[in-house]
C-alpha cells in the first residue's frame, strides 16, 4: 500500500505529571510510542515521528530500537498545535495516515479500516456518552462537515456526542495545500489540524467518518489512563495466549510483558510475572514466580522463584526461593533457597538447599562452571571463578575456593566437638 504514516508526539503531556516524556511511559513493557511505531511500520515504509518536548531524549530512545524512522522537529513556539506539528513535513507516498503517540491500544485491524476505501479523507470518530474534552464532529448524512474544538463550541455544538478520535487518513495532495494555509484564529491561538476538514468540505472533497472503538482510540493523558490501558492490554495478551494453549490459573493476577513468547503447552499459576522478551516453552511456572527476560524450556519453576535476565533453563527443576541470574542450567535440580549467578550447570547435577555462587568479589563478576552429575551439598559456597568437573561431590557446608577435578570429594568443615553434660552445667540445672 502506498501509505506514509506520521506519529504526532510533540506535546508536553502535562497531565502525566512526570519528568519522563509522556509517550515513553510503558504499557505492558513497551513505550506507548513504540506501540504506535510498531503499528505504523506494519503498514508503511515511510514513518515520520514529530517531536518537540524532550525531542533529543525521545529520538535517542527510538534510534536505539528502530531503524528507518524519520524525525520532524516541530517549531512549537511559532506554530503550536496539531496543525503546527504537520508544518514542513514531506511525505513519500500519496496517502498519509496521521497517528498520535499516546494511543497504545490501537490495533492494526482498526488502522486497516481507516485506510480502506478511496475517500479524500477518512477520519476516526467515536460516539460518546460524555464527549467533553474532545473536538465535536458535525456530520451531515454520510459526510463530515466540520470539527469544532470544545473551546470553540457553541452551547448547541457542545451537545454533539460524535467526537474526533484524532486519527486521519488524508491524501497527501490535500495536506500539501491545506497545512500551509492553516490559521491560528481560534480560542487557543493554535494551528488546528482539524481545520483541514473544513477546507476539504469547501472544495467538495469526500470526508468519511470511520466509527472506531473508544477503548482503542482513547488517548493516555494521565497515570490513571495509563493504568487503565495496562488492564486492557494485559487482558488482550492473556486471552490470546490462552487461546493458543497456555493454561492460566486466576489470569487476572498474572502479568505478562507484550514481548514475551510461548511455545507449546505451558502452565502459569496465579501471581506469576513475566517480564521482557522471555520465552516459555512447555513449562510450568508456579505461583508468584518472577521471570525476567529468560528462556525456560521443559522446566518447572517456583513457587516463589526468580529467574533473571540472560538465564536459560532446560529440563530443569527450580524450587521455592531460588534466584537464578545469567546462568545456563540443563537437566538440573535446585529445589530450595539458592542463588545461582553467572553459572553453567550440566545434566544430572543437584544443587542443595542454601547453596550460593559467590560470583561477585566487590569489583568484578566471575563464573561458576559445574559439570555433569555433580552433587552440591546444602549450604555450600562456591567462590567464583571456580570449576567443578563431572561426578564431583561437595559436602554440606563446604566453602569451595579451588577447582575440583572429576570424581573428587571436597569437604571443608571445622571438626565437630561434643561436650557431654554441658547444657545442665551451663544453665546451672541440678539434678
Ligand atoms: C485533538 C483534536 C480533537 C480530538 C482530540 C482526540 C485538534 C485541534 N484537536 O485535541 O479534535 O478530539 O485530539 O484526542 O487536533 N501534538 C503535537 N504538537 C502540538 C500539539 C499536539 O505533536 O503542538 C500531538 C500530541 O503529542 C498528541 C496529539 O498531537 O499526540 C494530540 O494532541 P492533543 O493536545 O492531545 O490534542 P487535543 O487538544 O486533545
Ligand atoms: Mg488529547
Amino acid at each position: 500500500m502506498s501509505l506514509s504514516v506520521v506519529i504526532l508526539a510533540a506535546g508536553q503531556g502535562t497531565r502525566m505529571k512526570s519528568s519522563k516524556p509522556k509517550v515513553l511511559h510503558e504499557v505492558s513493557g513497551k513505550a506507548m510510542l513504540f506501540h504506535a511505531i510498531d503499528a505504523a511500520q506494519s503498514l508503511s515504509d515511510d514513518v515520520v515521528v514529530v517531536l518537540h518536548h524532550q525531542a533529543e531524549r525521545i529520538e535517542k530512545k527510538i534510534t536505539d530500537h528502530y531503524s528507518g524512522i524519520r524525525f520532524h522537529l516541530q517549531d512549537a513556539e511559532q506554530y503550536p498545535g496539531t496543525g503546527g506539528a504537520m508544518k514542513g513535513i514531506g511525505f513519500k507516498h500519496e496517502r498519509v495516515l496521521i497517528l498520535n503517540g499516546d494511543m497504545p491500544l490501537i490495533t492494526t485491524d482498526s488502522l486497516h479500516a481507516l485506510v480502506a476505501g478511496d475517500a479524500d479523507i477518512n477520519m476516526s470518530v467515536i460516539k460518546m456518552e460524555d464527549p467533553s474534552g474532545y473536538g465535536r464532529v458535525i456530520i451531515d448524512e454520510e459526510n463530515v462537515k466540520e470539527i469544532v474544538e470544545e473551546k470553540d463550541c457553541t452551547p448547541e455544538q457542545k451537545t454533539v456526542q460524535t467526537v474526533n478520535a484524532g486519527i486521519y487518513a488524508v491524501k497527501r495532495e490535500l495536506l500539501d495545500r491545506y497545512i500551509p494555509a492553516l490559521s491560528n484564529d481560534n480560542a487557543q491561538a493554535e494551528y488546528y489540524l482539524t481545520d483541514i476538514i473544513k477546507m476539504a468540505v469547501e472544495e467538495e472533497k469526500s470526508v468519511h467518518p470511520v466509527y472506531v472503538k473508544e477503548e482503542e482510540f482513547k488517548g493516555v493523558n494521565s497515570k490513571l489512563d495509563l493504568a487503565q490501558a495496562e488492564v486492557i492490554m494485559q487482558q488482550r495478551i492473556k486471552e490470546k495466549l490462552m487461546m493458543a494453549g497456555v493454561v492460566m490459573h486466576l489470569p487476572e493476577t498474572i502479568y505478562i510483558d507484550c514481548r514475551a513468547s510461548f511455545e507449546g503447552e505451558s502452565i502459569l499459576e496465579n501471581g506469576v510475572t513475566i517480564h521482557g522478551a522471555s520465552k516459555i516453552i512447555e513449562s510450568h511456572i508456579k505461583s508468584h514466580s518472577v521471570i525476567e527476560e529468560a528462556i525456560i524450556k521443559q522446566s518447572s519453576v517456583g513457587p516463589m522463584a526468580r529467574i533473571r535476565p540472560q538465564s536459560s533453563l532446560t529440563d530443569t527443576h527450580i524450587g521455592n526461593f531460588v534466584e537464578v541470574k545469567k546462568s545456563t542450567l540443563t537437566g538440573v535440580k535446585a529445589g530450595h533457597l539458592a542463588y545461582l549467578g553467572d553459572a553453567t550447570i550440566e545434566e544430572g547435577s543437584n544443587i542443595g538447599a542454601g547453596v550460593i555462587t559467590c560470583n561477585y568479589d566487590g569489583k568484578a563478576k566471575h563464573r561458576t562452571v559445574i559439570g555433569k552429575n555433580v552433587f552440591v551439598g546444602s549450604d555450600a559456597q562456591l567462590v567464583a571463578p571456580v570449576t567443578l568437573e563431572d561426578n564431583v561431590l561437595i559436602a554440606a557446608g563446604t566453602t569451595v575456593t579451588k577447582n575440583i577435578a572429576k570424581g573428587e570429594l571436597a569437604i571443608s568443615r571445622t571438626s565437630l566437638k561434643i561436650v557431654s553434660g554441658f547444657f545442665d552445667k551451663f544453665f546451672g540445672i541440678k539434678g
Side-chain angles (χ1 to χ4, degrees):
M1 185 185 299
S2 69
L3 180 78
S4 291
V5 182
V6 56
I7 303 172
L8 304 185
Q12 197 168 1
T14 323
R15 283 169 287 172
M16 201 58 139
K17 300 213 167 63
S18 176
S19 56
K20 180 166 159 174
K22 173 168 98 168
V23 292
L24 294 188
H25 283 267
E26 292 174 355
V27 176
S28 295
K30 188 157 83 181
M32 290 198 278
L33 182 56
F34 286 12
H35 285 284
I37 292 175
D38 287 342
Q41 285 194 327
S42 75
L43 293 170
S44 171
D45 65 349
D46 184 36
V47 177
V48 184
V49 178
V50 180
L51 298 173
H52 175 72
H53 285 281
Q54 303 204 51
E56 250 172 65
R57 179 169 169 188
I58 301 173
E59 182 173 337
K60 184 172 181 316
K61 176 108 182 172
I62 294 173
T63 49
D64 282 350
H65 288 81
Y66 295 91
S67 57
I69 305 281
R70 292 200 284 138
F71 296 96
H72 175 78
L73 212 56
Q74 180 184 357
D75 180 356
E77 273 77 39
Q78 279 239 49
Y79 299 109
T82 48
M86 296 288 293
K87 266 192 190 291
I89 310 177
F91 295 105
K92 184 169 154 187
H93 298 297
E94 270 150 44
R95 256 173 125 207
V96 180
L97 176 66
I98 304 167
L99 299 180
N100 287 351
D102 63 356
M103 294 182 177
L105 295 170
I106 287 182
T107 62
T108 36
D109 281 353
S110 297
L111 293 182
H112 279 297
L114 263 160
V115 296
D118 57 3
D120 295 301
I121 300 180
N122 275 340
M123 63 165 291
S124 57
V125 297
I126 314 176
K127 270 226 156 60
M128 267 187 178
E129 278 293 304
D130 173 16
S132 58
Y134 285 86
R136 310 298 202 275
V137 184
I138 315 299
I139 298 174
D140 176 11
E141 292 176 6
E142 287 298 281
N143 264 303
V144 176
K145 292 290 160 221
E146 199 183 353
I147 306 173
V148 190
E149 290 307 295
E150 175 154 279
K151 287 182 180 141
D152 302 291
C153 275
T154 63
E156 194 197 334
Q157 286 169 330
K158 269 202 179 147
T159 63
V160 172
Q161 286 179 311
T162 305
V163 305
N164 172 23
I167 307 292
Y168 324 81
V170 187
K171 287 200 170 143
R172 180 187 65 194
E173 180 263 322
L174 302 187
L175 287 177
D176 287 346
R177 291 191 292 116
Y178 298 160
I179 297 294
L182 291 174
S183 86
N184 64 347
D185 183 16
N186 53 54
Q188 301 183 84
E190 282 188 1
Y191 293 83
Y192 291 167
L193 176 58
T194 44
D195 285 349
I196 66 168
I197 305 299
K198 227 181 329 187
M199 295 174 174
V201 170
E202 273 163 21
E203 292 188 348
E204 297 186 349
K205 301 286 180 193
S206 50
V207 182
H208 282 178
V210 176
Y211 287 85
V212 295
K213 289 188 205 129
E214 181 178 346
E215 177 189 291
E216 283 185 41
F217 284 76
K218 206 169 169 302
V220 170
N221 292 310
S222 65
K223 284 175 178 150
L224 175 63
D225 292 340
L226 189 69
Q228 288 166 346
E230 184 72 278
V231 171
I232 295 167
M233 181 75 81
Q234 279 299 303
Q235 209 169 331
R236 282 187 196 169
I237 291 170
K238 289 181 281 191
E239 279 176 11
K240 210 167 142 196
L241 289 172
M242 286 186 274
M243 293 312 284
V246 177
V247 175
M248 293 191 200
H249 299 174
L250 299 180
E252 66 280 14
T253 67
I254 294 172
Y255 173 88
I256 303 176
D257 191 294
C258 64
R259 294 159 298 174
S261 63
F262 287 71
E263 268 175 44
E265 205 175 347
S266 289
I267 301 171
L268 305 183
E269 293 186 5
N270 56 299
V272 162
T273 299
I274 303 203
H275 288 297
S278 292
K279 213 168 172 180
I280 314 292
I281 305 158
E282 293 166 3
S283 291
H284 186 164
I285 316 294
K286 297 181 187 168
S287 302
H288 303 289
S289 294
V290 180
I291 314 292
E292 303 168 14
E293 195 102 21
I295 301 169
I296 316 252
K297 187 175 176 191
Q298 286 152 357
S299 296
S300 67
V301 172
M304 291 165 288
R306 182 175 181 209
I307 313 298
R308 293 173 51 200
Q310 296 178 55
S311 294
S312 172
L313 313 183
T314 307
D315 297 322
T316 287
H317 165 69
I318 295 293
N320 49 200
F321 306 110
V322 174
E323 176 181 349
V324 178
K325 186 218 86 174
K326 208 176 176 178
S327 293
T328 303
L329 276 56
T330 312
V332 174
K333 287 198 172 101
H336 338 258
L337 297 151
Y339 171 61
L340 304 170
D342 302 292
T344 305
I345 312 179
E346 295 187 42
E347 277 157 64
S349 289
N350 187 92
I351 308 298
V355 169
I356 304 288
T357 52
C358 308
N359 60 329
Y360 186 51
D361 60 13
K363 284 189 189 162
K365 301 278 166 66
H366 303 282
R367 292 204 69 81
T368 299
V369 178
I370 301 178
K372 294 189 172 69
N373 307 316
V374 172
F375 181 88
V376 184
S378 295
D379 198 31
Q381 300 102 52
L382 310 175
V383 182
V386 69
T387 299
L388 315 182
E389 292 183 4
D390 295 349
N391 303 350
V392 153
L393 215 149
I394 307 294
T398 296
T399 303
V400 181
T401 53
K402 290 179 192 151
N403 293 343
I404 312 296
K406 188 168 178 181
E408 287 178 343
L409 161 75
I411 178 164
S412 76
R413 287 179 192 161
T414 49
S415 56
L416 181 67
K417 191 173 161 188
I418 298 175
V419 182
S420 50
F422 184 86
F423 184 96
D424 289 354
K425 213 161 118 192
F426 186 75
F427 290 106
I429 298 168
K430 294 201 176 82

